[in-house]
Amino acid sequence: MNLHLFINWSFDAEIIPGYRTPNWYGLLFVSGMILGYFVIRKMFKQENISNDLLDKLVMYMVPATVIGARLGHVFFYGPYWGPEGYFSHPEEIFKIWEGGLASHGAAVVILLALWYFSNKAIHKPYLWMLDRIAAPIAIAGAFIRLGNLVNHEMVGYVTDVPWAFKFLHHDCMNVIDGQYLCDWNDIPARHPANLYESLAYFLSFGILMFLFWKKHGWKRQGLVFGTFLILIFGFRFLIEFLKESQTDNDSMVDISTGLNTGQWLSVPLILAGIILVIRARKKSSEEA
């Protein structure tokens, strides 16, 4: 007999009932940033880098993450045109509290911000900076995906695995005065793709911290950051096979190529990570 042990997920993202802000997504987003701050603070302390520079880094990273992630969602995933598109309602671009953040967009703007910071503020090699920001970004990403879980977004395909989630707010269309009135039996069970990604990023954070501290990865420029790219975007590539398309643009790509937008955007980052790891290991061998 096949037992279906589905998880009925009805978690409300509102912290205060009736108010869209503050919400759990925002709280988890900020919590991830704070944890990342303390991780990189420990790294900077090891090399006697002043807290003033760390504070300046935060001033670069927070806006870069939020702006990049939001613009990534807008330009990579849309929708752009039509009565509901961003070009028709540009004010919607600023409503980040409603969700809609893309890690690929965040990656692009963060890389640009860190390049400027490493050259103009801390005066260190670019890879030196990237190696130290990798683990903090991974832990922040894990908390952001937990935020997607509480928002009932970025869900997976319908499945009958025992740990499947029934996302009430995602699949129930019978909503009156903010109350979801669907019968749980009418809601499909799905892969909790958002939770998969969160756990994958927590695992990546552990591996990166082990590599940085226990294996002295900080001594080999590019090794930690290259591993970060392989892990984070490798997991993203694989989990996308289980994730429901988030936009019509994604659906079109699925039909024509078998890969969606998120996967295509992950491929060059994974390849860059492989090149960085090979380069770091080769350089280490030559110096030994």
Side-chain angles (χ1 to χ4, degrees):
M1 183 173 69
N2 186 17
L3 297 177
H4 300 296
L5 306 176
F6 303 131
I7 298 171
N8 293 333
W9 187 250
S10 59
F11 192 93
D12 196 333
E14 295 176 349
I15 296 177
I16 303 173
Y19 292 86
R20 301 185 69 176
T21 55
N23 53 51
W24 288 108
Y25 180 91
L27 181 62
L28 286 164
F29 192 105
V30 172
S31 297
M33 293 290 186
I34 292 173
L35 284 173
Y37 171 86
F38 283 108
V39 170
I40 199 168
R41 181 181 179 181
K42 182 179 180 182
M43 294 175 177
F44 275 26
K45 185 177 181 181
Q46 175 195 239
E47 302 184 56
N48 297 316
I49 296 175
S50 70
N51 285 332
D52 290 341
L53 283 174
L54 177 57
D55 293 339
K56 185 176 290 188
L57 175 61
V58 172
M59 297 302 295
Y60 280 75
M61 286 295 295
V62 173
T65 302
V66 176
I67 294 171
R70 186 56 175 171
L71 291 180
H73 172 79
V74 171
F75 290 111
F76 293 151
Y77 296 99
Y80 320 119
W81 308 105
E84 301 299 325
Y86 286 115
F87 291 162
S88 298
H89 301 279
E91 71 279 1
E92 296 294 323
I93 295 175
F94 300 98
K95 296 181 179 180
I96 61 172
W97 57 87
E98 295 183 358
L101 301 174
S103 58
H104 297 93
V108 172
V109 180
I110 286 172
L111 288 173
L112 292 173
L114 288 175
W115 176 83
Y116 187 85
F117 178 82
S118 63
N119 283 277
K120 302 298 182 179
I122 201 168
H123 304 293
K124 294 281 189 179
Y126 189 33
L127 281 178
W128 182 96
M129 189 67 251
L130 294 178
D131 282 337
R132 283 147 186 81
I133 206 68
I137 291 177
I139 193 64
F143 275 80
I144 290 170
R145 284 296 178 259
L146 287 179
N148 297 135
L149 175 64
V150 302
N151 269 1
H152 299 243
E153 59 191 7
M154 299 185 71
V155 302
Y157 289 119
V158 174
T159 182
D160 61 356
V161 296
W163 57 86
F165 276 51
K166 290 189 173 186
F167 292 96
L168 180 67
H169 298 183
H170 182 274
D171 289 307
C172 179
M173 299 295 104
N174 185 15
V175 185
I176 300 177
D177 295 330
Q179 298 296 314
Y180 292 81
L181 305 178
C182 295
D183 189 313
W184 283 109
N185 293 323
D186 297 328
I187 297 176
R190 299 178 178 277
H191 280 289
N194 36 37
L195 182 58
Y196 293 165
E197 277 197 71
S198 180
L199 294 175
Y201 295 169
F202 275 118
L203 175 62
S204 299
F205 170 73
I207 293 172
L208 292 169
M209 291 292 283
F210 177 79
L211 183 61
F212 187 92
W213 293 109
K214 298 298 182 181
K215 294 297 183 180
H216 305 290
W218 56 275
K219 295 181 179 179
R220 293 180 281 178
Q221 284 189 14
L223 179 63
V224 177
F225 183 67
T227 304
F228 163 84
L229 292 177
I230 295 169
L231 289 172
I232 296 297
F233 292 102
F235 280 129
R236 174 72 185 271
F237 184 91
L238 294 174
I239 294 170
E240 286 291 327
F241 284 113
L242 303 175
K243 187 188 298 182
E244 186 180 64
S245 297
Q246 304 301 303
T247 67
D248 291 338
N249 290 343
D250 258 4
S251 298
M252 291 172 63
V253 174
D254 285 336
I255 294 172
S256 61
T257 66
L259 299 178
N260 63 29
T261 303
Q263 289 172 312
W264 277 115
L265 293 171
S266 296
V267 169
L269 295 170
I270 296 170
L271 293 176
I274 293 172
I275 292 171
L276 285 173
V277 169
I278 293 174
R279 177 185 172 190
R281 294 179 68 87
K282 182 179 179 181
K283 187 174 181 180
S284 178
S285 298
E286 291 173 351
E287 293 175 352

